[in-house]
Amino acid sequence: MMERITADVAIVGGGIMGASAALFLRRMGFSVVLLERDLCGSRSSGVNYGGVRRQGRPLNQLPLSQRAQDLWARLPELIGIDGEYVQSGHLKIARSEADMASLESYRERSQGFGMDLQMLSTRALRERCPWLGRAAVGASLCPGDGQANPRLVSPAFALAARNLGAHIREQTRVDEVAHDGELFVLRSGEALEVRAKHLLNCAGAWADRIAAQFGETVPMEAGHPEMAVTEPLPVFMNLSLGVEGGGVYARQVARGNCVIGGGRGYALDDQRARAQRSGMAGLMQQTVELLPALKNAHIIRTWSGTEGYLPDRLPVLGPSATTPGLIHAFGFAGGGFQLGPGVGAVLADLVCEGHSATPIEAFSIQRFPSSPRATTTVLASSAVV
């Protein structure tokens, strides 16, 4: 017998954005059903690098990033754990004078967003970070940025939402999604039907399939970042690192393991991805150039995941252009973990008020040409997320 649930809001996707939206909506008194194909936080929200970084983001993301930053400071209140979140500082490394000029330009353009960026010359960098290799010739430090454990934080948002009464349905694949003229209708096989006034599309790298059901096609592609972690080592690094222009990024956790990211893995199929041996070799070479202490360290695990990338590397966040009540949040191109709680809060704003004080106009789905509006009064059969 099919179970039928009616709620104010249905959410597809149990990553940090969908789960935090569920939490904030429950705190506002809305009834919520969240459907997650696997386990909450098991996809990109749970397997990313763990950087909680504002520095280096496009300027139009910084208001959203700052809103998220304020929520990260409240993690124990919101989700009951600190998620190993620490404001360790984020160091963006320059490997050339051109990199230094780029970092200085960003510092000037980003003033007013509360990051307090500090430029470090070669000498200042050597004094502060003697463990860095000679490839680093300078840096920009954002003292308030930091890091956290995504394997803890993302599922904890879902658990906190459940504890407040949200229906969290894991291992529940969405096979059909549509609008019947009054409510959104979602079905999972013959087991579950959900009806809701609002639908939040937080399905990550698969969210374009839901958007397409409502006549909104977007040119999103899947990407597979590579990650690795070392054995526990004596603690030598107290900052999260990135490199101007892209490349390796790294951090060391309290127990001594170094988490390293960069490069691209490959898809095994639509659901799974893996790091490449060749890419990992290049990543380790770059890592040792910046962190000589890792030259003889053992890598104990490598992994990858699947993320959605749009051509302009900006997300889609905001109301549907075709269907009232549908709100999108996807395509965060490897930078969504820090933004996650802020995105959840904005989604709750949009449901509750119809708008958000946090500027999101740059992320409208209308910036992409869309196909003609699809008929949404009959259940579609091709949406599988």
Side-chain angles (χ1 to χ4, degrees):
M1 180 179 296
M2 179 173 287
E3 179 183 6
R4 290 179 168 84
I5 303 175
T6 299
D8 297 321
V9 185
I11 303 173
V12 179
I16 192 170
M17 294 168 191
S20 62
L23 175 61
F24 295 130
L25 286 164
R26 282 302 302 141
R27 288 165 69 102
M28 294 175 175
F30 290 91
S31 56
V32 176
V33 178
L34 183 152
L35 306 179
E36 164 57 43
R37 178 182 56 200
D38 298 303
L39 299 177
C40 289
S42 63
R43 295 290 174 169
S44 59
S45 290
V47 300
N48 63 80
Y49 165 69
V52 183
R53 168 190 60 84
R54 293 166 295 166
Q55 178 174 208
R57 293 186 180 277
L59 298 187
N60 55 20
Q61 281 190 18
L62 290 179
L64 177 62
S65 186
Q66 187 56 50
R67 183 168 185 182
Q69 186 78 359
D70 295 339
L71 292 168
W72 277 99
R74 297 170 50 199
L75 275 194
E77 168 200 339
L78 292 172
I79 63 174
I81 62 171
D82 65 12
E84 298 181 5
Y85 169 58
V86 291
Q87 287 185 296
S88 60
H90 177 263
L91 191 70
K92 183 157 282 253
I93 295 168
R95 294 174 291 188
S96 67
E97 291 303 317
D99 286 350
M100 283 296 288
S102 178
L103 290 174
E104 177 61 37
S105 172
Y106 183 81
R107 187 186 73 85
E108 293 295 327
R109 291 181 289 113
S110 63
Q111 288 186 9
F113 290 101
M115 288 192 289
D116 187 29
L117 297 181
Q118 302 169 13
M119 299 300 297
L120 301 179
S121 66
T122 302
R123 179 176 178 178
L125 186 62
R126 296 279 174 264
E127 291 175 352
R128 186 180 184 108
C129 307
W131 35 266
L132 276 173
R134 294 296 170 180
V137 300
S140 170
L141 173 65
C142 185
D145 284 356
Q147 54 185 287
N149 187 336
R151 296 171 68 88
L152 298 178
V153 173
S154 301
F157 269 103
L159 180 59
R162 173 179 280 149
N163 289 341
L164 284 183
H167 291 273
I168 307 294
R169 299 300 179 94
E170 297 179 303
Q171 296 182 319
T172 302
R173 172 171 160 157
V174 177
D175 298 302
E176 303 174 9
V177 57
H179 197 280
D180 67 3
E182 294 184 6
L183 299 173
F184 290 95
V185 183
L186 299 88
R187 288 181 179 164
S188 179
E190 298 298 321
L192 177 65
E193 178 183 275
V194 176
R195 292 177 177 267
K197 181 180 179 181
H198 301 275
L199 173 61
L200 305 187
N201 177 16
C202 303
W206 300 270
D208 56 333
R209 301 179 186 180
I210 293 178
Q213 296 301 312
F214 299 96
E216 297 178 292
T217 57
V218 293
M220 190 163 72
E221 296 182 353
H224 311 286
E226 291 182 319
M227 305 288 168
V229 64
T230 72
E231 63 186 318
L233 301 167
V235 175
F236 67 94
M237 177 170 57
N238 58 358
L239 296 164
S240 178
L241 306 182
V243 175
E244 175 63 10
V248 65
Y249 37 95
R251 62 188 182 94
Q252 189 172 27
V253 302
R255 66 186 66 87
N257 307 79
C258 288
V259 182
I260 303 162
R264 288 290 178 264
Y266 65 98
L268 293 173
D269 53 37
D270 183 53
Q271 307 296 324
R272 300 175 299 159
R274 180 175 292 172
Q276 299 190 73
R277 178 178 295 181
S278 58
M280 196 56 64
L283 179 62
M284 292 305 107
Q285 182 177 353
Q286 292 182 59
T287 302
V288 171
E289 289 175 357
L290 289 175
L291 300 171
L294 299 185
K295 182 176 181 180
N296 296 313
H298 291 97
I299 300 297
I300 60 174
R301 187 166 70 92
T302 65
W303 70 95
S304 186
T306 302
E307 296 179 326
Y309 293 77
L310 293 160
D312 56 8
R313 292 301 188 264
L314 293 176
V316 167
L317 174 59
S320 163
T322 67
T323 311
L326 172 61
I327 305 172
H328 301 294
F330 62 85
F332 287 84
F337 184 58
Q338 188 273 342
L339 295 176
V343 171
V346 166
L347 291 171
D349 291 345
L350 295 174
V351 170
C352 185
E353 304 291 342
H355 62 86
S356 177
T358 302
I360 58 171
E361 292 79 13
F363 315 133
S364 171
I365 198 168
Q366 295 185 65
R367 71 186 191 271
F368 300 108
S370 294
S371 58
R373 180 170 178 167
T375 301
T376 58
T377 55
V378 177
L379 283 173
S381 60
S382 58
V384 179
V385 294

